[in-house]
Amino acid sequence: MVNVEELFTNLAKSLLGDDIVDVLEVLLRKGTEMTDEEIANTLNIKVNDVRKKLNLLEEQGFVSYRKTRDKDSGWYIYYWKPNIEQINEILLSRKRLILDKLRIRLEYERNNTFFICPQDNARYSFEEAFENEFKCPKCGSQLSYYDSDKIKTFLEQKIRQIEEEIEKETKLGANKSS
Ligand SMILES: [Zn+2]
């Protein structure tokens, strides 16, 4: 299982360097919006340094903010949160793509009969084998029937696993945003 928060942090680290990680981790741990001053207090570093880091993170889409004007001082207060749903979406769509490919592959395996060359282990569809009179086009050996049950079982397991992951993560995302 991929830890999304770890992936999120690592991605930020690789793009922006190790320095920004503390701010991102505080936001992830807190799980709710924080002002730059709250972050500075938690980390015991200067507010200006926190703002610099937040700005870098914001440019790359890792965090976002909303601002309200303080009634007394007239200053803007920025509330920051990590955009972890975004990485979730990226991961999810990547998994859906893999799932589609696996399903297509499984259909192909189910709908076709295969033959294999015992010499070089090359696999041929029924049509290819038939056209070559069931002899290997490369070496001329007699082709034998290929049992693709193992591949099918493997694909079925893999598909089920990814389906479960997607379902779990979709639920997780729905809970977080509600
Ligand atoms: Zn061969």
Short mmCIF file of all heavy atoms in Angstrom, two decimals, residues 56-80:
data_model
loop_
_atom_site.label_atom_id
_atom_site.label_comp_id
_atom_site.label_asym_id
_atom_site.label_seq_id
_atom_site.Cartn_x
_atom_site.Cartn_y
_atom_site.Cartn_z
N LEU A 56 6.45 29.04 -1.57
CA LEU A 56 7.05 28.06 -2.48
C LEU A 56 6.11 26.86 -2.67
O LEU A 56 5.90 26.40 -3.80
CB LEU A 56 8.39 27.56 -1.92
CG LEU A 56 9.57 28.52 -1.99
CD1 LEU A 56 10.76 27.97 -1.21
CD2 LEU A 56 9.98 28.75 -3.45
N LEU A 57 5.56 26.39 -1.57
CA LEU A 57 4.65 25.25 -1.63
C LEU A 57 3.39 25.58 -2.42
O LEU A 57 2.85 24.75 -3.16
CB LEU A 57 4.27 24.80 -0.21
CG LEU A 57 5.34 24.05 0.58
CD1 LEU A 57 5.00 24.03 2.06
CD2 LEU A 57 5.51 22.63 0.06
N GLU A 58 2.94 26.81 -2.26
CA GLU A 58 1.72 27.23 -2.94
C GLU A 58 1.92 27.32 -4.46
O GLU A 58 1.05 26.94 -5.23
CB GLU A 58 1.26 28.59 -2.37
CG GLU A 58 -0.20 28.90 -2.61
CD GLU A 58 -0.41 29.85 -3.78
OE1 GLU A 58 0.53 30.57 -4.15
OE2 GLU A 58 -1.51 29.83 -4.33
N GLU A 59 3.10 27.82 -4.84
CA GLU A 59 3.41 27.92 -6.27
C GLU A 59 3.33 26.57 -6.97
O GLU A 59 2.96 26.49 -8.14
CB GLU A 59 4.85 28.47 -6.45
CG GLU A 59 4.93 29.98 -6.42
CD GLU A 59 6.37 30.46 -6.41
OE1 GLU A 59 7.26 29.72 -6.89
OE2 GLU A 59 6.62 31.57 -5.90
N GLN A 60 3.70 25.52 -6.26
CA GLN A 60 3.70 24.18 -6.85
C GLN A 60 2.40 23.43 -6.58
O GLN A 60 2.28 22.26 -6.95
CB GLN A 60 4.87 23.36 -6.30
CG GLN A 60 6.24 23.94 -6.59
CD GLN A 60 6.61 23.86 -8.06
OE1 GLN A 60 6.16 22.97 -8.78
NE2 GLN A 60 7.43 24.78 -8.53
N GLY A 61 1.46 24.09 -5.93
CA GLY A 61 0.15 23.48 -5.71
C GLY A 61 0.04 22.54 -4.53
O GLY A 61 -0.95 21.82 -4.40
N PHE A 62 1.05 22.52 -3.67
CA PHE A 62 1.00 21.61 -2.53
C PHE A 62 0.10 22.12 -1.40
O PHE A 62 -0.46 21.35 -0.64
CB PHE A 62 2.40 21.36 -1.96
CG PHE A 62 3.25 20.50 -2.85
CD1 PHE A 62 4.20 21.07 -3.68
CD2 PHE A 62 3.08 19.13 -2.87
CE1 PHE A 62 4.97 20.28 -4.52
CE2 PHE A 62 3.83 18.33 -3.71
CZ PHE A 62 4.79 18.91 -4.53
N VAL A 63 0.01 23.45 -1.28
CA VAL A 63 -0.88 24.02 -0.27
C VAL A 63 -1.74 25.11 -0.93
O VAL A 63 -1.41 25.60 -2.02
CB VAL A 63 -0.10 24.66 0.90
CG1 VAL A 63 0.71 23.62 1.66
CG2 VAL A 63 0.81 25.78 0.41
N SER A 64 -2.84 25.44 -0.28
CA SER A 64 -3.64 26.57 -0.75
C SER A 64 -4.12 27.35 0.48
O SER A 64 -4.00 26.87 1.59
CB SER A 64 -4.81 26.09 -1.60
OG SER A 64 -5.61 25.22 -0.84
N TYR A 65 -4.64 28.54 0.23
CA TYR A 65 -5.07 29.35 1.37
C TYR A 65 -6.38 30.06 1.06
O TYR A 65 -6.78 30.19 -0.10
CB TYR A 65 -3.99 30.40 1.70
CG TYR A 65 -3.76 31.41 0.59
CD1 TYR A 65 -4.55 32.55 0.47
CD2 TYR A 65 -2.75 31.20 -0.33
CE1 TYR A 65 -4.34 33.46 -0.55
CE2 TYR A 65 -2.53 32.11 -1.36
CZ TYR A 65 -3.32 33.24 -1.46
OH TYR A 65 -3.10 34.13 -2.48
N ARG A 66 -7.04 30.48 2.11
CA ARG A 66 -8.11 31.46 1.96
C ARG A 66 -7.75 32.60 2.91
O ARG A 66 -7.04 32.40 3.90
CB ARG A 66 -9.47 30.86 2.29
CG ARG A 66 -9.63 30.45 3.72
CD ARG A 66 -10.98 29.85 4.02
NE ARG A 66 -10.99 29.40 5.42
CZ ARG A 66 -11.36 30.16 6.44
NH1 ARG A 66 -11.77 31.40 6.23
NH2 ARG A 66 -11.32 29.71 7.68
N LYS A 67 -8.18 33.80 2.58
CA LYS A 67 -7.82 34.93 3.46
C LYS A 67 -9.06 35.69 3.90
O LYS A 67 -10.04 35.80 3.18
CB LYS A 67 -6.83 35.86 2.76
CG LYS A 67 -7.31 36.46 1.46
CD LYS A 67 -6.26 37.40 0.90
CE LYS A 67 -6.74 38.05 -0.38
NZ LYS A 67 -5.78 38.99 -0.95
N THR A 68 -8.99 36.16 5.14
CA THR A 68 -10.05 37.02 5.65
C THR A 68 -9.39 38.26 6.26
O THR A 68 -8.24 38.20 6.69
CB THR A 68 -10.88 36.33 6.75
OG1 THR A 68 -9.98 35.87 7.77
CG2 THR A 68 -11.65 35.16 6.21
N ARG A 69 -10.12 39.35 6.27
CA ARG A 69 -9.55 40.56 6.84
C ARG A 69 -9.89 40.64 8.33
O ARG A 69 -11.04 40.46 8.71
CB ARG A 69 -10.09 41.81 6.12
CG ARG A 69 -9.25 43.06 6.35
CD ARG A 69 -9.96 44.28 5.85
NE ARG A 69 -9.90 44.43 4.40
CZ ARG A 69 -8.90 45.03 3.74
NH1 ARG A 69 -7.87 45.51 4.38
NH2 ARG A 69 -8.93 45.14 2.44
N ASP A 70 -8.86 40.86 9.11
CA ASP A 70 -9.07 41.00 10.55
C ASP A 70 -9.80 42.30 10.84
O ASP A 70 -9.36 43.37 10.41
CB ASP A 70 -7.72 40.96 11.27
CG ASP A 70 -7.89 40.90 12.77
OD1 ASP A 70 -8.03 39.77 13.29
OD2 ASP A 70 -7.90 41.97 13.42
N LYS A 71 -10.93 42.22 11.58
CA LYS A 71 -11.77 43.41 11.80
C LYS A 71 -11.02 44.51 12.55
O LYS A 71 -11.15 45.68 12.24
CB LYS A 71 -13.02 43.02 12.59
CG LYS A 71 -14.11 42.42 11.71
CD LYS A 71 -15.26 41.90 12.57
CE LYS A 71 -16.06 40.84 11.82
NZ LYS A 71 -16.61 39.82 12.73
N ASP A 72 -10.24 44.11 13.53
CA ASP A 72 -9.56 45.10 14.38
C ASP A 72 -8.36 45.73 13.69
O ASP A 72 -8.25 46.95 13.60
CB ASP A 72 -9.12 44.45 15.70
CG ASP A 72 -10.33 43.88 16.45
OD1 ASP A 72 -11.40 44.53 16.40
OD2 ASP A 72 -10.19 42.81 17.04
N SER A 73 -7.48 44.89 13.19
CA SER A 73 -6.22 45.42 12.65
C SER A 73 -6.35 45.82 11.18
O SER A 73 -5.57 46.63 10.69
CB SER A 73 -5.10 44.39 12.81
OG SER A 73 -5.35 43.28 11.98
N GLY A 74 -7.31 45.25 10.47
CA GLY A 74 -7.42 45.51 9.05
C GLY A 74 -6.46 44.67 8.21
O GLY A 74 -6.47 44.73 6.98
N TRP A 75 -5.62 43.86 8.85
CA TRP A 75 -4.69 43.00 8.14
C TRP A 75 -5.39 41.75 7.63
O TRP A 75 -6.38 41.33 8.20
CB TRP A 75 -3.54 42.55 9.06
CG TRP A 75 -2.63 43.66 9.47
CD1 TRP A 75 -2.83 44.54 10.52
CD2 TRP A 75 -1.39 44.02 8.88
NE1 TRP A 75 -1.78 45.40 10.60
CE2 TRP A 75 -0.87 45.12 9.61
CE3 TRP A 75 -0.65 43.52 7.80
CZ2 TRP A 75 0.33 45.72 9.30
CZ3 TRP A 75 0.55 44.11 7.49
CH2 TRP A 75 1.02 45.21 8.23
N TYR A 76 -4.82 41.18 6.61
CA TYR A 76 -5.33 39.90 6.13
C TYR A 76 -4.77 38.76 6.97
O TYR A 76 -3.60 38.77 7.33
CB TYR A 76 -4.93 39.66 4.66
CG TYR A 76 -5.83 40.39 3.69
CD1 TYR A 76 -5.33 41.41 2.87
CD2 TYR A 76 -7.18 40.04 3.58
CE1 TYR A 76 -6.14 42.07 1.99
CE2 TYR A 76 -8.00 40.70 2.69
CZ TYR A 76 -7.48 41.72 1.89
OH TYR A 76 -8.30 42.36 1.02
N ILE A 77 -5.64 37.80 7.27
CA ILE A 77 -5.18 36.56 7.90
C ILE A 77 -5.30 35.44 6.87
O ILE A 77 -6.34 35.29 6.22
CB ILE A 77 -6.02 36.20 9.14
CG1 ILE A 77 -6.07 37.38 10.11
CG2 ILE A 77 -5.47 34.96 9.83
CD1 ILE A 77 -7.09 37.20 11.22
N TYR A 78 -4.22 34.71 6.71
CA TYR A 78 -4.19 33.61 5.74
C TYR A 78 -4.37 32.28 6.46
O TYR A 78 -3.66 31.99 7.42
CB TYR A 78 -2.87 33.60 4.97
CG TYR A 78 -2.73 34.76 4.03
CD1 TYR A 78 -2.36 36.02 4.51
CD2 TYR A 78 -2.96 34.60 2.67
CE1 TYR A 78 -2.24 37.09 3.65
CE2 TYR A 78 -2.83 35.68 1.80
CZ TYR A 78 -2.48 36.92 2.29
OH TYR A 78 -2.36 37.98 1.43
N TYR A 79 -5.30 31.49 5.97
CA TYR A 79 -5.51 30.14 6.50
C TYR A 79 -5.03 29.13 5.47
O TYR A 79 -5.53 29.10 4.34
CB TYR A 79 -6.99 29.90 6.82
CG TYR A 79 -7.52 30.81 7.90
CD1 TYR A 79 -8.11 32.03 7.57
CD2 TYR A 79 -7.41 30.45 9.24
CE1 TYR A 79 -8.59 32.88 8.56
CE2 TYR A 79 -7.89 31.29 10.24
CZ TYR A 79 -8.47 32.51 9.89
OH TYR A 79 -8.93 33.33 10.87
N TRP A 80 -4.08 28.31 5.89
CA TRP A 80 -3.43 27.39 4.95
C TRP A 80 -3.87 25.95 5.17
O TRP A 80 -4.10 25.53 6.29
CB TRP A 80 -1.91 27.45 5.13
CG TRP A 80 -1.35 28.81 4.83
CD1 TRP A 80 -1.25 29.85 5.70
CD2 TRP A 80 -0.85 29.27 3.59
NE1 TRP A 80 -0.71 30.93 5.07
CE2 TRP A 80 -0.44 30.61 3.77
CE3 TRP A 80 -0.70 28.69 2.33
CZ2 TRP A 80 0.11 31.36 2.74
CZ3 TRP A 80 -0.15 29.44 1.30
CH2 TRP A 80 0.24 30.77 1.51
#
